[in-house]
């Protein structure tokens, strides 16, 4: 049973290019969360998605950032026209939901380290 | 007041000692509480979940929850150098339209051999 799969592990982009980060949740998990972590800083929530729906994007920058979780395939976090300040580790997490509504802990992927040069 | 607060540390303990990590939260309706461990350069790993008042033990780890005081802690007995990491406290929030998990800033723990 594979965990949360993220790719690529490392991504280098020049300023102005686009970055695409992929995340496949654990089998049986239908909820995906994206977080950003700058060096020596905490996790910052970005967006929460279910299949074909964005539930909460309150942590997403208003410009250049977008996310999707299509019916088929992985969730994608897209950053257009990257700048140096976008350099960070981007983590994806997934969780199940049971019928009682209990909150389970998230399972995190290994992350994508984005470097903008 | 921040939703989830932790001492940033670093917290240093000698090998073999008990490390005590503390967390307070602001949402009285919270029902689910988690501790994650994050090694430098790695992703967070869930190590404990607790849902009821009292203690929950798993090996050398004990999570303690006091909902009346809005306080949750993690004790690590017989601390080892391999326990050196950042520990993140996380709590569900019922203030949003869905059951959102809020992460604290983390406490850095260093176990000195």
């Amino acid at each position: 049973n594979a965990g949360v799969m993220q790719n690529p592990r490392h991504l280098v982009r020049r300023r102005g290019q686009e970055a695409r980060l992929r995340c496949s949740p654990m089998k049986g998990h239908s909820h995906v969360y994206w977080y950003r972590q700058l060096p020596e800083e905490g996790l910052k929530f970005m967006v929460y998605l279910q299949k074909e729906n964005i539930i909460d994007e309150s942590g997403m920058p208003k410009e250049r950032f977008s996310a999707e979780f299509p019916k088929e395939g992985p969730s994608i976090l897209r950053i257009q026209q990257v700048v140096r300040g976008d350099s960070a580790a981007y983590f994806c997490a997934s969780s199940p939901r049971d019928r009682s509504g209990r909150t389970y802990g998230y399972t995190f992927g290994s992350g994508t380290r984005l470097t903008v040069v | 007041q921040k939703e989830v607060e932790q001492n940033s540390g670093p917290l240093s303990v000698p090998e073999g000692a008990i490390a005590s990590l503390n967390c307070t939260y602001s949402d009285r309706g919270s029902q689910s509480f988690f501790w994650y461990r994050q090694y430098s350069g790695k992703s967070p790993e869930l190590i404990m979940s607790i849902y009821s008042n009292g203690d929950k033990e798993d090996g050398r780890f004990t999570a303690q929850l006091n909902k009346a005081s809005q306080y949750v802690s993690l004790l690590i007995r017989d601390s080892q150098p391999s326990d050196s990491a950042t520990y993140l406290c996380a709590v569900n929030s019922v203030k949003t339209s869905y059951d959102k998990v809020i992460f604290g800033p983390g406490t850095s723990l260093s176990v000195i051999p």
Side-chain angles (χ1 to χ4, degrees):
Chain A
N1 184 18
V4 178
M5 304 301 291
Q6 285 190 254
N7 65 82
R9 292 290 298 272
H10 300 275
L11 182 61
V12 179
R13 283 288 178 266
R14 295 185 184 280
R15 282 178 293 171
Q17 290 185 320
E18 178 180 287
R20 282 188 177 232
L21 289 61
R22 295 175 184 77
C23 170
S24 295
M26 282 187 72
K27 185 176 180 180
H29 289 192
S30 58
H31 303 256
V32 168
Y33 313 83
W34 285 94
Y35 288 81
R36 177 166 62 177
Q37 189 172 42
L38 295 169
E40 306 303 321
E41 293 190 11
L43 286 171
K44 300 295 183 189
F45 169 77
M46 299 183 75
V47 62
Y48 162 41
L49 309 106
Q50 295 177 17
K51 284 285 187 183
E52 300 185 281
N53 282 304
I54 297 175
I55 307 301
D56 180 359
E57 56 182 347
S58 60
M60 290 276 274
K62 293 287 186 284
E63 298 178 349
R64 302 187 298 107
F65 286 72
S66 63
E68 63 176 2
F69 189 15
K71 186 176 180 180
E72 301 291 338
S75 175
I76 305 288
L77 179 66
R78 182 183 179 203
I79 311 172
Q80 295 179 290
Q81 300 173 351
V82 296
V83 300
R84 289 234 171 101
D86 297 332
S87 295
Y90 292 83
F91 293 104
C92 169
S94 71
S95 74
R97 280 286 191 269
D98 74 3
R99 295 187 184 279
S100 68
R102 165 170 280 192
T103 306
Y104 289 94
Y106 298 169
T107 301
F108 282 83
S110 298
T112 294
R113 273 76 179 169
L114 173 65
T115 302
V116 180
V117 297
Chain B
Q1 181 187 10
K2 293 184 178 178
E3 292 180 272
V4 180
E5 298 197 62
Q6 299 178 250
N7 292 331
S8 60
L11 172 67
S12 293
V13 300
E15 184 175 355
I18 296 176
S20 178
L21 303 160
N22 305 316
C23 173
T24 58
Y25 59 95
S26 61
D27 187 348
R28 284 197 169 276
S30 295
Q31 298 293 326
S32 304
F33 307 86
F34 311 97
W35 282 99
Y36 288 79
R37 177 177 61 200
Q38 186 176 24
Y39 291 114
S40 180
K42 301 295 185 182
S43 60
E45 173 192 11
L46 178 65
I47 56 173
M48 289 286 279
S49 305
I50 185 167
Y51 301 95
S52 304
N53 275 330
D55 295 359
K56 179 181 178 181
E57 187 174 318
D58 183 1
R60 295 185 296 110
F61 297 94
T62 299
Q64 299 176 315
L65 175 60
N66 184 326
K67 291 183 181 179
S69 300
Q70 295 174 242
Y71 175 89
V72 59
S73 66
L74 180 70
L75 301 178
I76 307 174
R77 290 182 301 281
D78 187 24
S79 295
Q80 302 297 308
S82 58
D83 295 326
S84 298
T86 296
Y87 290 81
L88 305 169
C89 172
V91 177
N92 80 307
S93 171
V94 298
K95 293 181 179 177
T96 52
S97 59
Y98 67 97
D99 207 7
K100 184 175 183 177
V101 173
I102 308 295
F103 284 83
T107 297
S108 175
L109 172 65
S110 179
V111 180
I112 311 301

